[in-house]
Amino acid sequence: MKYIIIFILLFSFQLIQAKDLQFFREDLSFEIKEDHFYVNGLYYFRNTSNKELKQRLIYPFPQNSAYGKVDSLFVINVIDSTITTNIQKRENCTSFTIQIDPDSTAIYRIGYRQKLKGKKAEYILTTTQTWSRPFEQVNYTLTFPKELFLDSLSYMPDSLREESNKYIFFWYKENFMPDRNFKIHFSKKEN
C-alpha cells in the first residue's frame, strides 16, 4: 500500500509539472537525399511556473518496413549551446530530459537521419495532440532533389522555390493542431 501511495504522488506531481510545460512552436527542415530522410529543427518549450522544470520527453520515429534505422541523432540546448547527453535511444523513439528555468523559454535543436527502404518518408506530428494544445506557430521546409518525382504530400505547401538541382517547399501555420503525420511519397524520374 505504501508503494502505491508513493507511485500516485509521483505520477500526480508529473502531471502537475507537465501542465506547466508548453510545447508551443517548431521550425523544422526536412530533406530527402539519396536514400535517407534528414530532420533538423528547433523545438520551443515554455515553463509557465515559478519553479525550474526538468521533464523527460519521448521523441518518436516512424517504424514500418519502409523505414530503416535512425542515426546521427543529436539534441542541443540552443540557449546555452550544451549538447544533451542523457539520451536514451530505442528503435522507435528516443527520450531525453529538458530543463527550463522558471517563467522562461527553452529552445532545443534536434536532428537525425533515417534510412529509407522504400519511396516514402514520414515525420510524426500527431503526438502534438498529447500536449492538449495546438502549436502557436510552425515553419516547415522540405528540400527535394529534382531527380525524384513527388507523388504526394500529406500537407499542401504554401510556397515553392526552385533551384538548379532541387525544389524547396515551405509551410507556415498558426494555431496548428496536426491531424495527420507529415508524409512524403515519391518515385524516381525516368531518364
Side-chain angles (χ1 to χ4, degrees):
M1 184 67 169
K2 177 178 158 185
Y3 294 111
I4 292 172
I5 292 171
I6 291 171
F7 174 75
I8 290 170
L9 288 173
L10 286 173
F11 184 71
S12 299
F13 176 71
Q14 283 209 323
L15 285 177
I16 291 166
Q17 197 175 31
K19 283 175 34 182
D20 295 330
L21 179 65
Q22 296 177 353
F23 178 28
F24 67 95
R25 177 179 170 177
E26 62 183 8
D27 299 329
L28 306 177
S29 297
F30 306 112
E31 184 173 9
I32 293 176
K33 191 169 16 174
E34 297 165 1
D35 57 352
H36 285 91
F37 182 52
Y38 294 83
V39 176
N40 189 338
L42 296 174
Y43 298 79
Y44 297 77
F45 300 93
R46 183 183 296 131
N47 178 359
T48 60
S49 77
N50 59 2
K51 296 183 175 106
E52 179 183 73
L53 282 182
K54 285 186 181 180
Q55 184 72 39
R56 192 112 187 123
L57 299 180
I58 296 174
Y59 187 101
F61 306 118
Q63 292 294 309
N64 68 33
S65 60
Y67 308 121
K69 292 191 177 211
V70 168
D71 64 22
S72 308
L73 174 73
F74 63 86
V75 179
I76 299 170
N77 181 331
V78 173
I79 293 171
D80 64 9
S81 300
T82 56
I83 297 172
T84 302
T85 57
N86 63 11
I87 297 172
Q88 293 180 343
K89 189 168 173 275
R90 295 183 180 86
E91 194 169 312
N92 64 342
C93 70
T94 190
S95 66
F96 55 92
T97 301
I98 64 169
Q99 184 173 336
I100 309 176
D101 291 332
D103 296 312
S104 67
T105 298
I107 305 169
Y108 282 80
R109 178 174 293 283
I110 302 172
Y112 66 88
R113 179 179 79 160
Q114 185 169 31
K115 176 86 169 155
L116 299 177
K117 296 179 181 177
K119 300 296 181 207
K120 68 178 183 174
E122 182 176 0
Y123 177 78
I124 296 176
L125 282 175
T126 53
T127 54
T128 305
Q129 295 170 7
T130 62
W131 291 84
S132 301
R133 59 183 296 130
F135 286 117
E136 293 172 13
Q137 178 182 332
V138 299
N139 294 284
Y140 302 140
T141 63
L142 169 64
T143 303
F144 197 83
K146 283 188 173 179
E147 67 264 14
L148 297 179
F149 181 76
L150 184 62
D151 295 322
S152 68
L153 288 167
S154 58
Y155 290 94
M156 186 64 72
D158 296 314
S159 61
L160 165 70
R161 185 172 76 220
E162 183 177 355
E163 295 186 358
S164 61
N165 60 349
K166 62 188 172 188
Y167 296 107
I168 304 173
F169 299 88
F170 298 90
W171 291 259
Y172 172 79
K173 297 185 181 303
E174 292 180 352
N175 196 31
F176 178 52
M177 179 62 86
D179 60 357
R180 59 196 176 277
N181 288 335
F182 191 95
K183 292 183 182 179
I184 307 150
H185 292 264
F186 59 92
S187 55
K188 275 245 191 227
K189 286 186 177 175
E190 300 293 326
N191 290 334

